[in-house]
Amino acid sequence: MAVIADRCPNIEVTVVDLNETRIAAWNDADLSKLPIYEPGLDEVVARTRGRNLHFSTDVVNAIASADIVFISVNTPTKTKGLGSGEASDLRWVEACARQVAECAKGHTIVVEKSTLPVRTAKTIQVILQAAQKCDSRDQQEKSFVVLSNPEFLAEGTAIKDLISPDRVLIGGEDAKAIKSLSKIYEQWVPKEKILCTNLWSSELSKLTANAFLAQRISSINAVAELCEVTGADVREVAKAIGTDSRIGQRFLNSGPGFGGSCFKKDILNLVYLCKHFGLHEVAQYWQNVVTLNNWQQTRIARLIVEKLFGTVTGKKLAVFGFAFKANTNDTREAPAISIAKDLLDEGAQLAIYDPKVNAKQISLDLNMPASSPPDAKAGPTRSALSGEGSWWSSQNINDAVNGADAVVILTEWSQFKELNWSEIAPLMRKPAWIFDARSVVDPNTVKLAGLKLWRVGDGT
Ligand code: UDX
């Protein structure tokens, strides 16, 4: 919405939320306090806020005065009830649709921006139609059209993705409404990149795009494990297959498995949808993409334990990176969560360092309070000796590695590529290991510093 406001000074954009704290944060004069860390977003907000971009909790008036309403709420995977663990929880979408139905005035275009299971637009349409009233002269007081306009941006590159998208997708039946929405994007996106489809194709395309991308990652991670036992190198294999223009170079980085708010959720949604329509083989096919992803995380935790003489109990390990990818503070479904949990179960003492993720968030994700960092000179702590795992958030690299048996790199922050291993090595307990799940280190420098190295997909 900030980018729409930036590119279209003639359009008034109001972002509304019931959560007062969150709206206050979006209105904070200190732009470093915006609720989301996203490169370039602060500059866009600085240019537009108060001009034609507004953040407000006045949901009722914002809906009443809007020509177009974008529904952009959470659709997490259900944790209980029918479809638990697979289907999307649509309670917030429905609540939004009902509120739009009640508060809208005149003709309103309602746009599904949230990623939704296929045919959700129908539900929204039914709710809105029930509210279409007629006055005494039989003239409509309010009317609605529903369009689907899924978002394809990736976190960390969101502003760039929005400014020059590969495509904008608009699904719907009402030509006039489609034209109105298209006109907004046409202010900065070339017209040939704006694709119009029917509602269901648009909804399904979003799920399919994410499923294809996630499938590529599971495929390369499966190959990585094979590389490790055969003497091949997954980076070389990725380069070799990526030069085939039908395959392409992008999205072939083997790592600790995909995280983020979309991939797992959307595939599970697809699995649920397939099962609903009795397509069990198709459901199983997509389910395996998630199964392989979970395995990648489990096996990384296991091999760390194996390489450290079969036990990490009481050992200090430095975890570099907790976000699900670089350039974001988002930890949703981050591979670091399950890998750290497995290591904590084994009794490890984890010094976690991430340049953007705070201790409060890590504590929520691990479902465990932080311990205070042990005094390096005091020897093993009581909890270390008792075999219970513990963790704390390190403020800098040197504190994290001091006395550690291993460094585990789980997010590809650029600063990890520039680490001086010959300075780090003397701080660690020998034999010391570097577990590089993101292929960020230079293997020769690490080995020259006297450190042992495991790299994902490296069988050489
Ligand atoms: C994704 C889609 O890319 C985007 O189009 C959609 O709108 C939302 O979901 P996002 O989750 O923000 O975006 O990040 P993305 O860059 O796709 O990465 C997802 C996960 O895959 C991350 O954990 C990332 O580290 C991992 N990944 C990505 C790899 O392991 N290897 C790769 O080659 C690429």
Side-chain angles (χ1 to χ4, degrees), residues 151-156 206 210 213 217 220-221 250-263 324-326 335 412 438:
E151 186 48 65
F152 293 100
L153 68 80
E155 290 180 30
K206 170 71 190 192
N210 279 343
L213 290 168
I217 300 168
I220 200 70
N221 285 341
R250 296 177 66 192
F251 251 74
L252 283 181
N253 294 324
S254 178
F258 56 77
S261 65
C262 291
F263 283 179
F324 82 97
K325 62 187 270 193
E412 72 285 20
R438 291 286 190 174

Side-chain angles (χ1 to χ4, degrees), residues 444-459:
N444 290 330
T445 337
V446 171
K447 286 177 194 160
L448 276 175
L451 297 163
K452 290 178 171 293
L453 174 66
W454 172 87
R455 279 202 307 167
V456 67
D458 190 350

Side-chain angles (χ1 to χ4, degrees), residues 2 36 112 146 185 235 321 339-340:
I36 294 172
E112 298 179 329
V146 179
Y185 291 108
R235 285 148 293 270
I339 294 174

Side-chain angles (χ1 to χ4, degrees), residues 70-381:
F70 290 84
I71 297 186
S72 319
V73 292
N74 240 6
T75 51
T77 306
K78 281 180 84 172
T79 51
K80 56 183 181 187
L82 211 63
S84 173
E86 287 177 350
S88 281
D89 191 336
L90 297 180
R91 77 179 90 165
W92 294 282
V93 172
E94 183 177 339
C96 264
R98 289 187 186 278
Q99 186 156 28
V100 173
E102 191 190 324
C103 305
K105 293 204 169 114
H107 185 64
T108 310
I109 299 171
V110 178
V111 181
E112 298 179 329
K113 202 57 163 155
S114 309
T115 304
L116 295 163
V118 182
R119 303 192 81 88
T120 308
K122 191 80 209 160
T123 312
I124 299 176
Q125 253 167 4
V126 171
I127 291 170
L128 295 174
Q129 268 160 11
Q132 289 190 170
K133 292 192 203 121
C134 294
D135 66 16
S136 50
R137 288 159 296 152
D138 234 18
Q139 293 199 329
Q140 276 200 342
E141 271 176 17
K142 52 174 109 181
S143 56
F144 301 97
V145 173
V146 179
L147 298 178
S148 159
N149 175 218
E151 186 48 65
F152 293 100
L153 68 80
E155 290 180 30
T157 52
I159 305 295
K160 189 175 122 289
D161 295 343
L162 287 163
I163 290 174
S164 39
D166 287 341
R167 76 321 211 167
V168 167
L169 188 56
I170 301 177
E173 267 68 57
D174 186 302
K176 210 169 148 207
I178 293 173
K179 199 167 168 200
S180 300
L181 184 57
S182 178
K183 280 244 170 299
I184 296 178
Y185 291 108
E186 281 169 38
Q187 294 198 39
W188 80 95
V189 179
K191 214 171 167 181
E192 62 277 10
K193 287 195 171 179
I194 302 176
L195 311 180
C196 298
T197 67
N198 78 31
L199 266 178
W200 326 124
S201 299
S202 168
E203 289 179 329
L204 189 58
S205 299
K206 170 71 190 192
L207 295 185
T208 309
N210 279 343
F212 264 61
L213 290 168
Q215 177 222 46
R216 256 172 99 88
I217 300 168
S218 279
S219 298
I220 200 70
N221 285 341
V223 172
E225 190 173 2
L226 190 57
C227 288
E228 286 166 32
V229 293
T230 54
D233 182 335
V234 75
R235 285 148 293 270
E236 291 180 351
V237 175
K239 192 168 181 195
I241 63 168
T243 49
D244 185 325
S245 58
R246 292 167 301 175
I247 296 175
Q249 296 280 3
R250 296 177 66 192
F251 251 74
L252 283 181
N253 294 324
S254 178
F258 56 77
S261 65
C262 291
F263 283 179
K264 188 170 166 199
K265 180 190 75 150
D266 288 355
I267 295 180
L268 292 176
N269 218 321
L270 210 53
V271 168
Y272 182 71
L273 197 70
C274 295
K275 283 187 191 164
H276 174 79
F277 287 106
L279 311 180
H280 297 289
E281 288 76 9
V282 184
Q284 192 56 49
Y285 174 78
W286 290 113
Q287 176 63 51
N288 281 341
V289 173
V290 176
T291 306
L292 200 288
N293 197 55
N294 295 340
W295 167 241
Q296 181 75 347
Q297 291 160 28
T298 308
R299 85 175 183 92
I300 288 177
R302 279 193 198 175
L303 69 87
I304 292 172
V305 176
E306 275 163 26
K307 299 244 185 254
L308 297 178
F309 309 115
T311 175
V312 290
T313 307
K315 290 181 182 169
K316 179 178 172 185
L317 313 183
V319 174
F320 283 5
F322 204 81
F324 82 97
K325 62 187 270 193
N327 297 321
T328 176
N329 60 353
D330 195 346
T331 61
R332 284 175 291 175
E333 300 293 340
I337 300 174
S338 75
I339 294 174
K341 277 186 174 170
D342 283 353
L343 295 171
L344 289 169
D345 281 348
E346 293 286 331
Q349 315 285 296
L350 303 180
I352 301 177
Y353 171 80
D354 188 290
K356 288 289 171 198
V357 181
N358 61 37
K360 195 172 152 208
Q361 186 58 48
I362 299 174
S363 173
L364 282 171
D365 290 331
L366 296 178
N367 199 15
M368 190 187 214
S371 301
S372 44
D375 180 351
K377 294 192 195 88
T381 60

